[in-house]
Each structure stands twice: as structure tokens, then as C-alpha cells.
Amino acid sequence: DNCMRTSEPCIYAVGDATETSDGVFRDVKAWTPLATVAAMQGRIAADHIATGKSIPFRGSFSTAIVRCFGFAVATTGWSERRLKANKTPFAVSVINGWSIASYYPKANAVLIKITYCPTTGRIFGGQIFGGADAGVDKRIDVLATALLGNLTIHELSHGQYSYSPPFGTTKDPINIVCLNARNINDGLIHEIGRAH
């Protein structure tokens, strides 16, 4: 259950050996062998064992990041492929942005893709690719937090992120990918060159 109890109430299970609920779609079961999820489940189980109460486990968003050959790739929530396989209606927004002010030394390109509900705008997931120093980690964490809060493209497009040319852009790529999604939903733009 969401306190990490098994079918035997005195036995708890956490970590890689557990199947829990998905964080985006709670009725879907998820197996997420990630240290961050295991640590959170361990804390929830320990709290419940020690006090008889705990903050319930909200499900796994499968947030992960890897570094390979000077690049970072990150994911959270549901990808386009997974949504198609589940036959869930969704829309996609993809943008190319900059990690910091583009005129500033060491600016890196960042590619962000989000999936979201075409009617409510609720964010289902996202993937980010960029240079290892492009802030991919902080941006995937923003998307993971948006999933936790059930935020929409409308709400996240108004996010206020730290700005100074060596640290970010006046409109962060997270803002831009959500503004792009809003423009798609409002019929203001149409994506081209992408297989749906």
C-alpha cells in the first residue's frame, strides 16, 4: 500500500523488489528500480513502523538522468511511446533552447520534449537532452516537481526561475516548451516535420 505494507500488515517492502503505483496515473502499477525511489520508500516504511503514520507514497515518476560522452539525457513521467502503448490521448511540445544566455561563453543548446493532456494541459512527462553542463538536471527536476504537483502547461509556463546571463535565460527553456504547448493547443502554431 502507500505506507509500503505488503498483504501481510506486519511486513513492509521497499526498493527494487517492490511494485507500487505510478505517480502520473495512480491506477497503473509501476516497478522503478531507482535509488531515489527506494530511499523515499524506506523513509515512509520506517516512519510508519515507528509511529503508525507516515506521508503516503505518491507513486513513482521514474525520474532519471545519465551522462555520456559530455552529454546529459534525462527523463521523468510518461514518454510519447508509453502513452501511445497505453492508448492515452496526449499532445507533445518540443523546443530547442539555451542553457544560459546564448551570447554568453559556454552556452549550451538544450532540447526539451514534454507530453501533456490536450484538454486539461496536465503534464504527463518530459525528456531533456543537452551538454553535461547545460542544466539538464535542474530542468528535469522542475518537470518532476510539476508532475508531483499535477501542474499544467499553463501553470508551468509562468514559472519564475533564477536569471543572470551566466546562469540562465530570461525565459527558461521550461517556460518556452510550455508556452509552445499552449500555442499548439490554442491553434496558433502547427508542428511540422515530426511524425505523430
Side-chain angles (χ1 to χ4, degrees):
D1 66 8
N2 59 8
C3 293
M4 310 319 301
R5 291 176 294 195
T6 64
S7 56
E8 180 60 45
C10 294
I11 299 176
Y12 291 74
V14 301
D16 297 0
T18 62
E19 180 182 70
T20 60
S21 60
D22 181 81
V24 179
F25 298 106
R26 303 282 295 151
D27 57 330
V28 175
K29 294 295 181 191
W31 175 66
T32 312
L34 294 171
T36 52
V37 175
M40 184 181 305
Q41 291 173 339
R43 174 59 192 250
I44 290 168
D47 284 349
H48 199 266
I49 291 166
T51 67
K53 59 184 177 182
S54 66
I55 295 173
F57 182 62
R58 296 273 309 270
S60 171
F61 300 107
S62 302
T63 305
I65 188 169
V66 295
R67 182 179 180 154
C68 185
F69 302 113
F71 294 100
V73 182
T75 185
T76 191
W78 283 52
S79 67
E80 183 174 2
R81 176 180 288 169
R82 191 170 177 202
L83 289 162
K84 281 181 185 176
N86 200 52
K87 295 181 175 44
T88 302
F90 69 95
V92 173
S93 175
V94 180
I95 63 103
N96 290 304
W98 291 98
S99 59
I100 60 175
S102 60
Y103 59 82
Y104 213 79
K106 298 187 179 179
N108 283 292
V110 177
L111 174 69
I112 301 181
K113 175 181 181 178
I114 61 168
T115 56
Y116 62 94
C117 177
T119 54
T120 66
R122 179 179 169 226
I123 297 168
F124 291 151
Q127 296 85 42
I128 305 177
F129 173 82
D133 298 324
V136 170
D137 55 341
K138 77 176 186 176
R139 291 181 177 95
I140 204 67
D141 288 344
V142 168
L143 289 177
T145 302
L147 293 177
L148 181 66
N150 291 320
L151 297 184
T152 68
I153 56 174
H154 310 285
E155 294 162 329
L156 200 56
S157 70
H158 290 288
Q160 298 177 29
Y161 309 106
S162 58
Y163 167 70
S164 178
F167 298 104
T169 58
T170 53
K171 284 187 184 165
D172 191 85
I174 293 291
N175 296 112
I176 295 170
V177 75
C178 291
L179 289 167
N180 185 62
R182 289 174 54 190
N183 288 342
I184 292 167
N185 270 12
D186 293 342
L188 299 175
I189 61 173
H190 301 280
E191 288 188 301
I192 58 172
R194 200 178 147 280
H196 292 281

